[in-house]
């Protein structure tokens, strides 16, 4: 595909359930980012990968959040024991070059809307 | 602590007129600024960016102005078109910060016929 894809697009979970959100970045993109967007807010940074290495996870709100990118392409964001405050849109973005070397455009996927009941 | 602020949650402009969207930031380490446009149920789409070494960048109908001393930037859209109706996010980054973006809360632009 030409752009960043995310699945599922919508997820409803019961409180306490574990969820896994998938991101397929643009082929060949080195950097991958996860953001969380609460209703009426801007996206907030969660974590950053350069290839398979997770270089920054400072935005993950708790140890219930875990992200991986084992082969440097597809990434999964996992949320354990979901809580109502986890309800948000989770956005994935990729960019062609490595962070810190030069600023370059991030391409965003459509997001996964997570609703925790 | 909101490091990037968009104080106008909404803006309404007539077709053909200029739209001006404003953004303020507090972190002096930010040295790269971007504007994203977002339609409902879609991810943000990159519009235009500016480095802190410049004070203006223009791309077609879109121009971004940066005032470093005031820590303020603005996006001008001329002429505004109905298809420009969307939420506009201002974002900032620092070259030493791994390119992670810090976003404002967005401004809903409505371009009326």
């Amino acid at each position: 595909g030409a752009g960043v894809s995310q699945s599922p697009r919508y997820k409803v979970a019961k409180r306490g359930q574990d969820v896994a959100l998938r991101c397929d970045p643009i082929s060949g993109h080195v950097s991958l980012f996860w953001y969380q967007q609460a209703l009426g807010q801007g996206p907030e940074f969660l974590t950053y990968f350069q290839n398979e290495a997770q270089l920054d996870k400072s935005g993950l709100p708790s140890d219930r959040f875990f992200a991986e990118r084992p082969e440097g392409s597809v990434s999964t964001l996992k949320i354990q024991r979901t809580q109502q405050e986890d309800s948000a849109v989770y956005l994935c973005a990729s960019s062609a070059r490595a962070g810190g070397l030069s600023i370059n455009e991030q391409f965003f996927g459509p997001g996964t809307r997570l609703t925790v009941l | 602590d909101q490091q990037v602020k968009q104080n106008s949650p909404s803006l309404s402009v007539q077709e053909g007129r200029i739209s001006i969207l404003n953004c303020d930031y507090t972190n002096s380490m930010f040295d790269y600024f971007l504007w994203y446009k977002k339609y409902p149920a879609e991810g943000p789409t990159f519009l235009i960016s500016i480095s802190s070494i410049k004070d203006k960048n223009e791309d077609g109908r879109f121009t971004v102005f940066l005032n470093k001393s005031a820590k303020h930037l603005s996006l001008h859209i001329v002429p505004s078109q109905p298809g420009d109706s969307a939420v506009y996010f201002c974002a900032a980054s620092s070259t030493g910060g791994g390119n992670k973006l810090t976003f404002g809360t967005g401004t809903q632009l409505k371009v009326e016929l």
Side-chain angles (χ1 to χ4, degrees):
Chain A
V4 178
S5 61
Q6 293 185 245
S7 60
R9 291 293 312 275
Y10 303 91
K11 176 69 179 177
V12 179
K14 292 183 179 179
R15 187 161 55 96
Q17 186 178 354
D18 297 349
V19 298
L21 312 179
R22 177 186 169 105
C23 172
D24 284 83
I26 294 172
S27 178
H29 275 198
V30 169
S31 297
L32 186 145
F33 302 81
W34 283 98
Y35 293 85
Q36 179 191 59
Q37 185 177 14
L39 190 63
Q41 301 297 314
E44 291 194 4
F45 171 79
L46 292 177
T47 187
Y48 160 61
F49 289 86
Q50 182 179 317
N51 296 308
E52 69 278 3
Q54 188 175 21
L55 298 187
D56 186 346
K57 53 182 181 179
S58 62
L60 295 177
S62 78
D63 58 7
R64 296 185 296 104
F65 287 71
F66 172 77
E68 60 183 5
R69 193 186 185 198
E71 297 178 357
S73 56
V74 171
S75 177
T76 304
L77 176 66
K78 298 179 179 177
I79 309 173
Q80 297 177 325
R81 304 181 304 280
T82 53
Q83 304 294 315
Q84 285 188 321
E85 62 263 28
D86 300 335
S87 296
V89 174
Y90 290 85
L91 293 163
C92 175
S94 70
S95 65
R97 292 193 292 272
L101 300 179
S102 64
I103 298 290
N104 55 93
E105 177 188 344
Q106 293 184 21
F107 295 85
F108 282 81
T112 295
R113 180 176 295 278
L114 173 65
T115 303
V116 181
L117 303 176
Chain B
D1 176 34
Q2 195 76 23
Q3 297 187 63
V4 177
K5 301 178 184 179
Q6 294 177 256
N7 292 319
S8 298
S10 64
L11 174 67
S12 187
V13 170
Q14 279 196 319
E15 182 181 12
R17 307 293 290 267
I18 184 171
S19 295
I20 300 176
L21 297 97
N22 294 301
C23 178
D24 297 287
Y25 62 98
T26 58
N27 188 341
S28 57
M29 297 301 293
F30 289 146
D31 56 9
Y32 198 76
F33 304 89
L34 308 90
W35 284 93
Y36 280 82
K37 174 180 177 179
K38 187 180 183 305
Y39 293 117
E42 295 183 11
T45 302
F46 171 77
L47 263 182
I48 191 168
S49 62
I50 187 167
S51 164
S52 60
I53 62 173
K54 296 185 176 181
D55 55 18
K56 176 182 174 181
N57 188 28
E58 191 172 353
D59 183 2
R61 297 187 297 115
F62 302 92
T63 303
V64 55
F65 296 91
L66 175 62
N67 183 334
K68 281 179 59 181
S69 60
K71 292 191 174 68
H72 177 84
L73 63 155
S74 61
L75 174 68
H76 293 209
I77 306 173
V78 182
S80 300
Q81 299 174 355
D84 296 330
S85 297
V87 177
Y88 289 78
F89 289 99
C90 170
S93 182
S94 60
T95 47
N99 283 2
K100 68 182 179 185
L101 298 176
T102 301
F103 284 85
T105 52
T107 297
Q108 172 77 60
L109 173 65
K110 183 177 181 181
V111 180
E112 299 172 321
L113 298 172

